[in-house]
Amino acid sequence: MHEMELHDLSDDADYAASIQQGSESMNRGDSSKRSSCSEPEGAEILYLKDNVAIHPTQYASERISGRLKLIKQGSSLFMTWIPYKGQSSNARLSEKDKNLYTIKAVSFADIRSIRRHTPTLGWQYIIVVLSSGLAFPPLYFYNGGVREFLATIKQHVFLVRSAEDANVFLVNDFQDPLQRTLSSLELPRAVSVANGPSPTLSTESASGSDAEKGASDQSSVSFQQNGRLRQKHNDPARDISIQVLEKFSLVTRFARETTSQLFRESHIDGFTPNERKKHSQSSHEHQHNLSSHEHQSLIMSNDSQKVPEDVPVTSDSPSDPLEFDRLSLVWGKPRQPPLRREEWATFLDSEGRVMDSKALRKRIFYGGVEHNLRAEVWTFLLGYHAYDSTFAEREYLISVRKSEYETIKKQWQSISAEQAKRFAKFRERKSLIEKDVVRTDRSLSFYDGDDNPNVYLLRDILLSYSFYNFDLGYCQGMSDLLSPILFVMRDESESFWSFVFLMERLGPNFNRDQSGMHSQLFALSKLVELLDTPLHNYFMQNDCLNYFFCFRWILIQFKREFEYEKTMRLWEVLWTHYLSEHLHLYVCVAILKRYRSKIMGEQMDFDTLLKFINELSGQIDLDAILRDAEALCICAGENGAACIPPGTPPSLPLEDPMAYPQLDDDVL
């Protein structure tokens, strides 16, 4: 299948420079293949290709060129891609930005598939998809070599061409490939030949992923060929699809060193150590100016800003979450009863306009919304309806939106079987959506059982959204965000448009380059540094500054951390944007602070911390965390806001549509 290439870069200066550098490197290629002096003992370089590049942005000048290798150690095969240092280009990317994309020894036991692209114009490129469903950025071969790359892999691992797409090569796919999609999550890792744990490359700077164990796909559920929904019995917790988030360590292991370095060295906030001290003192002064209406009391004086070089370790119970806190903390207000219909009516004028949107948002922030009122109120919180709209205007908009939704839905419903055969992207998206929706919240009676119409509605809405926002399409995790909306709205069109407005805020979370997620994780690291310096120092000493253990929290807004009802209550609090549009980051800080004693007392490393964080699901006190998050947000004040780069999700969409560009989604 031939496709039009998006980036024809043959006429830019960086390409000429990289060609020269690549030629010089290739002169050393043969000897490098036979020498492993720079590789771990016992490692053999099977394949080496220079001038292989990635495109972190849409700008040609920001292409990053590097060297791709296939390395064999023992019976295990690994892939690495290392960017060149000191490239002669006009790129605005710094060296540490380039290092962020480094691929350090990913094992083929952790790779699900490789997609090859041969565009009509431009150069061949490949996309490597991990068994978790995540994908590396496309690797462009400016000097050719894709065929040799695949041939070398085939000599050492089981590589088979997909029956559904001739450009896809499945890695270690021993089970019927016709019944599996490229990004299937029913096996968190690819099955190895020996059916054993994944090996690791014994080098300090690169490792495979041996901490995460494979899970059986016996609990999978699928759409049968006759179109009827079937749910198999062995489906504990339905969480296999979301394990891609827990398995993010498969990606972070090879990037951990470079990402942590980025967090250590970056000065985005512009603070020197002395300036940080001044800002902390400024925060102390700020909380003295707060009115009694906004907080109840101050606790723990800020008697010392000095933090010892070695993080103190304690084995005490985490019952006192603020034990190590060196900053003043303002306790948030107690939670209130949810907003009821009678009180809701007092916020509306005779024509249905919300008279004081800030007061309404504040009321919801502290108490949430009664369930039978959510369908009406959520449309305001999500921006679907304007606060100053009337009853009549909203009724008219609903009718118009309903007609628009039917038009969008008919676009994919009208695709014939013959068209579908020639529409690979549609087949891939449809297959992935169908695979996911039958595993979404099946423990709820609303989605339980075979042939449940609500599961079909989930599928239809997600397929329609993939056509409405074709650039973003569908990514795993979206079904988790849609599920509570459909549960509340009980209307297909209203659910679709509410989901559209939610994705206007959270869409960057699903960018394939993960730019939206990285910006939030970076902001989280800066907030922890500001609000809990000892914990920040501990993470720094234990190589945890990438904060990828919080990835699941942020991606799907804590959907897996709380019961369904509590999740909806948390979401409506976050949607108010009352204190901050980034309150979810303060919620992350609050949870980490509450369990700080256990994290530091047990000397958790990255893998132990990741496991511990995932096991917190269902054990977090939502009311206490919201109160802590409010207090932290007030305490941080302007210093906290300065830690969060402009445009960090879930900010309202920026005017620049390229602020979070979604690259061609070839691996949905």
Side-chain angles (χ1 to χ4, degrees):
M1 181 185 298
H2 293 289
E3 305 172 20
M4 185 65 68
E5 177 59 53
L6 295 177
H7 307 286
D8 189 351
L9 307 174
S10 58
D11 58 348
D12 68 52
D14 187 40
Y15 175 74
S18 61
I19 283 290
Q20 181 178 357
Q21 182 173 5
S23 299
E24 294 172 354
S25 299
M26 289 189 69
N27 292 334
R28 304 188 300 268
D30 293 338
S31 60
S32 297
K33 289 186 180 182
R34 294 170 174 79
S35 173
S36 58
C37 59
S38 61
E39 306 300 330
E41 184 177 354
E44 177 187 1
I45 299 177
L46 303 176
Y47 174 90
L48 183 150
K49 193 67 179 178
D50 280 292
N51 204 36
V52 176
I54 66 170
H55 298 261
T57 72
Q58 74 272 25
Y59 300 109
S61 62
E62 295 185 0
R63 181 177 68 247
I64 304 173
S65 298
R67 174 175 294 175
L68 179 67
K69 293 181 184 179
L70 293 176
I71 302 172
K72 185 175 183 181
Q73 185 176 36
S75 60
S76 303
L77 185 66
F78 299 85
M79 182 187 79
T80 70
W81 180 85
I82 309 296
Y84 298 136
K85 291 186 178 181
Q87 297 185 48
S88 174
S89 71
N90 349 354
R92 295 176 292 178
L93 297 172
S94 65
E95 285 298 324
K96 57 178 175 284
D97 291 330
K98 296 174 183 177
N99 289 337
L100 184 62
Y101 295 92
T102 299
I103 302 175
K104 290 190 176 180
V106 59
S107 169
F108 272 79
D110 296 328
I111 294 177
R112 175 71 184 90
S113 63
I114 300 171
R115 175 183 276 272
R116 178 184 63 186
H117 294 262
T118 308
T120 304
L121 299 175
W123 295 271
Q124 284 189 322
Y125 64 95
I126 63 169
I127 298 177
V128 177
V129 183
L130 297 176
S131 54
S132 64
L134 297 170
F136 292 119
L139 294 169
Y140 288 79
F141 287 68
Y142 287 107
N143 292 330
V146 173
R147 185 187 297 269
E148 181 186 2
F149 175 76
L150 294 173
T152 304
I153 295 173
K154 192 170 185 179
Q155 294 174 12
H156 300 277
V157 300
F158 184 70
L159 193 69
V160 59
R161 191 187 297 267
S162 169
E164 294 184 351
D165 190 335
N167 289 315
V168 173
F169 297 85
L170 304 175
V171 179
N172 292 333
D173 189 75
F174 299 109
Q175 301 185 10
D176 186 7
L178 291 172
Q179 303 301 319
R180 300 172 64 181
T181 61
L182 299 181
S183 54
S184 170
L185 297 182
E186 293 180 0
L187 284 178
R189 61 164 59 241
V191 180
S192 65
V193 176
N195 198 26
S198 170
T200 59
L201 186 62
S202 58
T203 174
E204 184 180 2
S205 63
S207 66
S209 176
D210 58 359
E212 307 296 340
K213 303 300 180 183
S216 171
D217 64 345
Q218 296 302 313
S219 62
S220 67
V221 285
S222 61
F223 275 77
Q224 301 297 324
Q225 292 181 353
N226 62 5
R228 293 173 59 85
L229 285 170
R230 288 288 182 259
Q231 182 181 14
K232 297 184 180 179
H233 294 295
N234 293 331
D235 190 14
R238 188 217 67 80
D239 283 342
I240 292 182
S241 67
I242 209 63
Q243 285 181 8
V244 59
L245 315 178
E246 301 170 2
K247 306 299 180 184
F248 199 71
S249 59
L250 296 178
V251 178
T252 64
R253 285 178 180 280
F254 66 81
R256 191 179 307 163
E257 295 84 358
T258 53
T259 311
S260 297
Q261 181 182 3
L262 173 64
F263 285 147
R264 291 191 193 103
E265 297 177 357
S266 178
H267 295 286
I268 287 181
D269 57 79
F271 295 162
T272 65
N274 290 334
E275 288 172 335
R276 284 197 184 93
K277 180 176 179 179
K278 292 178 182 178
H279 278 278
S280 296
Q281 293 169 343
S282 172
S283 178
H284 177 62
E285 295 170 359
H286 170 74
Q287 48 94 10
H288 279 292
N289 296 328
L290 294 171
S291 66
S292 59
H293 178 69
E294 291 300 324
H295 64 272
Q296 293 182 334
S297 63
L298 301 178
I299 67 170
M300 300 192 69
S301 64
N302 187 20
D303 57 356
S304 173
Q305 291 293 330
K306 295 181 180 179
V307 180
E309 199 66 35
D310 296 326
V311 178
V313 176
T314 178
S315 59
D316 295 342
S317 167
S319 58
D320 179 7
L322 305 175
E323 179 181 352
F324 293 120
D325 205 357
R326 297 275 181 184
L327 293 173
S328 300
L329 184 64
V330 183
W331 280 112
K333 288 183 178 179
R335 309 305 298 167
Q336 300 175 11
L339 177 71
R340 301 176 66 89
R341 189 166 294 278
E342 297 79 10
E343 186 180 1
W344 162 245
T346 66
F347 285 96
L348 306 177
D349 65 15
S350 59
E351 294 185 330
R353 300 180 185 88
V354 175
M355 295 179 289
D356 189 341
S357 62
K358 184 176 181 180
L360 174 63
R361 291 186 292 111
K362 180 178 179 180
R363 175 65 181 87
I364 297 172
F365 178 87
Y366 285 109
V369 181
E370 190 177 51
H371 183 70
N372 60 13
L373 188 60
R374 280 179 171 140
E376 185 174 356
V377 175
W378 278 18
T379 57
F380 289 93
L381 296 178
L382 290 170
Y384 176 19
H385 290 311
Y387 286 105
D388 60 355
S389 62
T390 65
F391 290 127
E393 289 169 342
R394 294 196 289 273
E395 185 177 350
Y396 174 74
L397 179 62
I398 289 173
S399 64
V400 171
R401 294 292 197 188
K402 184 176 180 64
S403 176
E404 290 179 359
Y405 174 67
E406 292 301 324
T407 300
I408 296 169
K409 186 176 180 179
K410 287 176 182 177
Q411 291 177 0
W412 62 265
Q413 285 182 326
S414 64
I415 296 176
S416 66
E418 286 301 313
Q419 284 180 294
K421 291 179 181 179
R422 298 164 176 81
F423 197 170
K425 204 178 294 286
F426 171 70
R427 296 197 310 271
E428 292 165 0
R429 289 179 174 178
K430 185 171 183 289
S431 176
L432 183 55
I433 290 171
E434 290 178 343
K435 189 181 290 287
D436 280 354
V437 296
V438 292
R439 301 181 299 198
T440 301
D441 295 324
R442 300 289 283 198
S443 60
L444 293 177
S445 58
F446 187 74
Y447 293 113
D448 189 24
D450 294 340
D451 295 318
N452 188 313
N454 296 318
V455 178
Y456 285 113
L457 285 179
L458 275 179
R459 178 198 63 183
D460 291 355
I461 294 171
L462 291 170
L463 269 171
S464 299
Y465 181 77
S466 74
F467 272 69
Y468 172 82
N469 189 347
F470 203 82
D471 288 341
L472 184 60
Y474 174 78
C475 302
Q476 287 168 321
M478 289 184 181
S479 62
D480 283 275
L481 295 177
L482 174 61
S483 169
I485 292 177
L486 180 59
F487 178 76
V488 166
M489 298 298 175
R490 308 294 173 106
D491 179 88
E492 185 175 357
S493 174
E494 290 293 277
S495 298
F496 171 81
W497 289 111
S498 296
F499 181 70
V500 165
F501 280 89
L502 176 62
M503 293 305 295
E504 287 295 300
R505 303 177 184 184
L506 299 183
N509 284 10
F510 299 93
N511 280 358
R512 195 177 61 194
D513 63 0
Q514 297 172 351
S515 56
M517 289 300 301
H518 280 298
S519 65
Q520 292 173 86
L521 292 171
F522 177 81
L524 176 58
S525 74
K526 306 305 291 183
L527 287 175
V528 173
E529 182 179 10
L530 174 69
L531 294 166
D532 197 329
T533 306
L535 184 60
H536 171 81
N537 289 344
Y538 176 82
F539 287 154
M540 181 167 58
Q541 291 177 10
N542 288 272
D543 204 15
C544 297
L545 282 183
N546 51 36
Y547 282 81
F548 281 133
F549 46 84
C550 298
F551 190 90
R552 183 176 76 177
W553 293 354
I554 295 174
L555 181 69
I556 54 174
Q557 301 288 280
F558 305 94
K559 170 73 163 25
R560 292 288 164 188
E561 317 318 315
F562 300 99
E563 298 172 358
Y564 207 72
E565 167 61 31
K566 291 182 178 179
T567 297
M568 293 187 289
R569 183 147 53 93
L570 171 61
W571 283 9
E572 58 202 14
V573 169
L574 298 178
W575 295 344
T576 63
H577 287 190
Y578 173 61
L579 288 180
S580 169
E581 62 189 30
H582 300 105
L583 186 71
H584 68 297
L585 298 179
Y586 291 96
V587 171
C588 293
V589 179
I591 297 174
L592 293 174
K593 287 176 70 68
R594 187 159 286 268
Y595 292 94
R596 173 178 56 180
S597 295
K598 186 174 182 64
I599 292 171
M600 297 170 64
E602 297 184 8
Q603 290 287 286
M604 295 184 184
D605 60 10
F606 180 87
D607 297 317
T608 307
L609 181 58
L610 178 67
K611 182 175 183 294
F612 171 73
I613 292 296
N614 289 334
E615 291 175 349
L616 286 179
S617 178
Q619 302 181 37
I620 304 172
D621 184 337
L622 177 60
D623 287 345
I625 289 300
L626 284 175
R627 192 172 177 180
D628 291 352
E630 178 195 359
L632 291 166
C633 185
I634 294 173
C635 182
E638 294 181 357
N639 296 333
C643 292
I644 304 173
T648 298
S651 300
L652 292 175
L654 301 178
E655 293 183 4
D656 180 7
M658 294 306 295
Y660 291 102
Q662 180 66 19
L663 301 179
D664 187 28
D665 54 348
D666 299 289
V667 291
L668 293 176

